[in-house]
Amino acid sequence: MAKPADPEGPTGKLCTWIEGVTLQDIPETLCTRAKYLILDGLACALVGAHLPWSEKAVDAILELESPGLASVFGWEKKISPLSAALLNSTFIQGFELDDWHSDAPLHSNSIILPALFAATEQISNLKSGHTVSGKDLLLGTIVGYEVGPRVGLALYGGHILTMGWHSGAVFGPSAAAASVSKLLKLPANSIEDALGIACTQACGLMSAQYESDVKRMQHGFAARNGLLAALLARKGYIGIKKVYERPYGGFLAQFGKGNGQTPEYRTDEIAKDLGMIWQTTGIRVKPYAAMAGTHCTIDCIKALQERNPEQLKDLGGINSIKIELSEAAYHHGGWEAQRPLTSTGAQMSNAFVAATQLVDGQVLAAQFRHDCLDRDGIWALVNKTTCEFNQDFPKLQTRVKIHFTGGKPTLQHTMECPRGVDPPLSNDQVLEKWRLLTRDVIEPARAAEIEDLILNLEKCSDVMAINTLMAGTTKNPIT
């Protein structure tokens, strides 16, 4: 066994675990949950493939590249594995429908799945007769699910959002590199190289959330860069050793600098409780098409609508709305929304999603069509809404207060966490979401075939079958 630079350090312990872990080491219930999580990620990719901003990205990349080996989901096009990973991730992140980790916020599927599927096609096309099994895909996915949140927890999870970093784009290259390294069966010293190459490419500015298209693509940078890192390490390219614990220029030292925490970073989280506590259990599936930090707001208003249907029919009688948020949610989604707003900004804004829930009674894909973003009724409520940081609120806790004119009583509701967090959506609910999302974008027989392959991954002898099905054309869900 080729050992990492310091086998007893956090980076070394992580690399040794990645090399040695097998499916037999992972609880059966966790393997089952991972298959449903993968299915959710693929649903998001199919929905996102032909959104307007996704089509712009595809057009730009296709102009740059000749045909290649790796599939672009929903397009019947093949390009280089690196660009396929970038685009397929952009699709998964395309409409704020994808998974998130409740303790160390990143969207794991948009980082891990595109890198793994692109690597699968690279392996299958360059090695005649070589196939990647569903078991290998499942194991590589779970490795990424475990690594990404641990890197995030070493930087205090969601706190990095308050510093203006896009957390998943920072934590994500490590997750993608770990997943692909496992798929490629790299030894521990090469895994260390891959992580070091991945970490030096990490970045993501959270100001992307306001009006840019590039917010959709930032997890794609992580997927592409992690894939590149593993492929370079496979050929013996040497990366940064001990990348997490280096005090000068190390990953944690640099991203933790000036964050106000004591200590600024926690190296012990990198390899903490590997194989005993499973971070995959912290991955949540979204019931709404909006940033996770808005979900408690949506649920608070839903609760008030259910309890006070008559009073909340009179939206014109609302005098003001106050939304109290925890620190990360406030910095991420408590900013003042101004008209006009793009769909990206709308899905990030607590004020906008609150108004949307009040007007439409739901916050799904249809609410963020271009023609829905400039409605007078929505903006009348947005302009009456203020968001405030409540320093006593832990993590996701939110309180909504709605004040009325004419002496009507104030309505108020507080929630510690939104639907889908505690408890998480069940496997049956994830399957229901898959079927709902795919119903209008691909033909039923194709959806059923993908579903069967993913939920029986251990029996799949060649993952290329999934790539082929995912590469077929899809419809735009919001036209």
Side-chain angles (χ1 to χ4, degrees):
M1 180 184 291
K3 294 183 179 180
D6 178 9
E8 297 305 312
T11 304
K13 287 180 179 179
L14 179 65
C15 296
T16 301
W17 178 81
I18 292 170
E19 180 187 15
V21 68
T22 69
L23 277 181
Q24 288 68 42
D25 298 322
I26 301 169
E28 185 177 350
T29 54
L30 196 81
C31 290
T32 298
R33 181 62 173 178
K35 290 185 285 187
Y36 283 88
L37 293 173
I38 292 169
L39 195 66
D40 187 67
L42 296 183
C44 294
L46 293 168
V47 168
H50 282 277
L51 294 168
W53 39 92
S54 297
E55 292 189 338
K56 285 191 285 185
V58 172
D59 289 346
I61 297 298
L62 291 181
E63 276 190 4
L64 293 171
E65 291 212 358
S66 301
L69 301 174
S71 301
V72 180
F73 293 162
W75 279 81
E76 294 186 335
K77 301 282 186 183
K78 284 183 177 282
I79 54 177
S80 74
L82 296 179
S83 291
L86 175 68
L87 288 176
N88 291 335
S89 171
T90 301
F91 302 162
I92 295 175
Q93 261 273 280
F95 223 159
E96 291 299 319
L97 284 163
D98 56 328
D99 66 284
W100 61 291
H101 195 282
S102 56
D103 293 319
L106 78 165
H107 305 284
S108 296
N109 280 328
S110 65
I111 297 161
I112 295 164
L113 299 185
L116 284 174
F117 279 109
T120 293
E121 296 201 89
Q122 176 82 351
I123 294 167
S124 299
N125 282 292
L126 295 185
K127 286 188 175 183
S128 179
H130 186 84
T131 59
V132 175
S133 71
K135 287 183 178 180
D136 287 338
L137 178 75
L138 181 60
L139 181 57
T141 302
I142 293 172
V143 164
Y145 285 165
E146 291 300 309
V147 170
R150 283 181 165 80
V151 173
L153 289 169
L155 289 168
Y156 295 94
H159 181 73
I160 200 168
L161 289 167
T162 70
M163 304 298 294
W165 291 112
H166 192 176
S167 53
V170 174
F171 312 154
S174 294
S179 284
V180 177
S181 293
K182 188 62 180 177
L183 191 76
L184 297 173
K185 298 180 171 59
L186 298 186
N189 66 322
S190 296
I191 295 171
E192 182 173 30
D193 290 329
L195 292 173
I197 299 167
C199 283
T200 199
Q201 301 177 82
C203 187
L205 301 177
M206 206 55 254
S207 54
Q209 72 181 16
Y210 299 114
E211 66 278 304
S212 77
D213 288 332
V214 79
K215 193 272 173 188
R216 317 287 189 183
M217 189 178 278
Q218 288 184 165
H219 278 62
F221 298 149
R224 178 195 63 191
N225 296 345
L227 172 62
L228 173 62
L231 294 175
L232 285 169
R234 177 171 171 259
K235 289 296 184 179
Y237 201 77
I238 298 173
I240 300 170
K241 302 294 187 180
K242 299 185 288 186
V243 69
Y244 298 112
E245 62 262 37
R246 293 276 190 187
Y248 173 72
F251 176 83
L252 299 180
Q254 292 309 113
F255 280 106
K257 199 175 293 293
N259 64 8
Q261 300 296 303
T262 304
E264 289 183 325
Y265 54 92
R266 305 179 293 189
T267 54
D268 60 310
E269 293 288 346
I270 294 293
K272 186 177 180 180
D273 297 321
L274 283 165
M276 292 181 286
I277 293 177
W278 297 93
Q279 291 298 328
T280 301
T281 61
I283 296 174
R284 307 305 184 208
V285 174
K286 287 183 178 180
Y288 309 120
M291 183 265 290
T294 69
H295 286 206
C296 247
T297 295
I298 297 167
D299 283 335
C300 282
I301 291 175
K302 284 181 70 174
L304 293 175
Q305 287 172 318
E306 289 167 3
R307 291 205 310 261
N308 308 276
E310 292 303 316
Q311 188 169 341
L312 281 172
K313 282 181 182 178
D314 179 22
L315 298 182
I318 293 176
N319 182 59
S320 65
I321 302 167
K322 183 168 79 169
I323 305 171
E324 296 176 67
L325 300 160
S326 59
E327 185 177 27
Y330 174 75
H331 287 286
H332 198 6
W335 42 276
E336 184 179 348
Q338 295 183 351
R339 192 176 189 174
L341 198 64
T342 65
S343 62
T344 303
Q347 290 173 302
M348 300 293 122
S349 166
N350 270 278
F352 192 93
V353 300
T356 299
Q357 178 62 37
L358 284 165
V359 171
D360 293 344
Q362 60 184 16
V363 183
L364 300 174
Q367 273 65 54
F368 300 99
R369 294 196 318 260
H370 180 73
D371 60 337
C372 291
L373 299 177
D374 201 36
R375 291 179 286 172
D376 290 339
I378 295 287
W379 283 98
L381 293 171
V382 171
N383 292 332
K384 295 177 180 179
T385 302
T386 57
C387 295
E388 296 182 3
F389 167 44
N390 188 319
Q391 62 182 359
D392 297 323
F393 280 5
K395 258 200 300 195
L396 300 170
Q397 186 169 331
T398 299
R399 179 183 294 133
V400 174
K401 293 181 181 179
I402 304 178
H403 299 274
F404 293 83
T405 58
K408 291 182 180 178
T410 296
L411 302 181
Q412 174 178 308
H413 191 74
T414 304
M415 295 191 70
E416 292 186 3
C417 63
R419 177 181 172 230
V421 172
D422 187 16
L425 295 190
S426 68
N427 291 341
D428 285 343
Q429 288 172 316
V430 176
L431 183 60
E432 181 183 0
K433 179 185 171 185
W434 154 265
R435 292 174 177 173
L436 178 66
L437 289 180
T438 57
R439 183 179 62 193
D440 296 325
V441 295
I442 61 173
E443 53 279 15
R446 182 171 150 211
E449 196 170 351
I450 296 171
E451 178 184 315
D452 182 66
L453 281 167
I454 297 301
L455 296 185
N456 295 284
L457 262 183
E458 296 96 330
K459 300 176 183 178
C460 177
S461 60
D462 187 355
V463 172
M464 284 295 290
I466 303 170
N467 274 320
T468 300
L469 288 165
M470 289 296 296
T473 57
T474 60
K475 299 174 184 175
N476 184 336
I478 60 170
T479 54

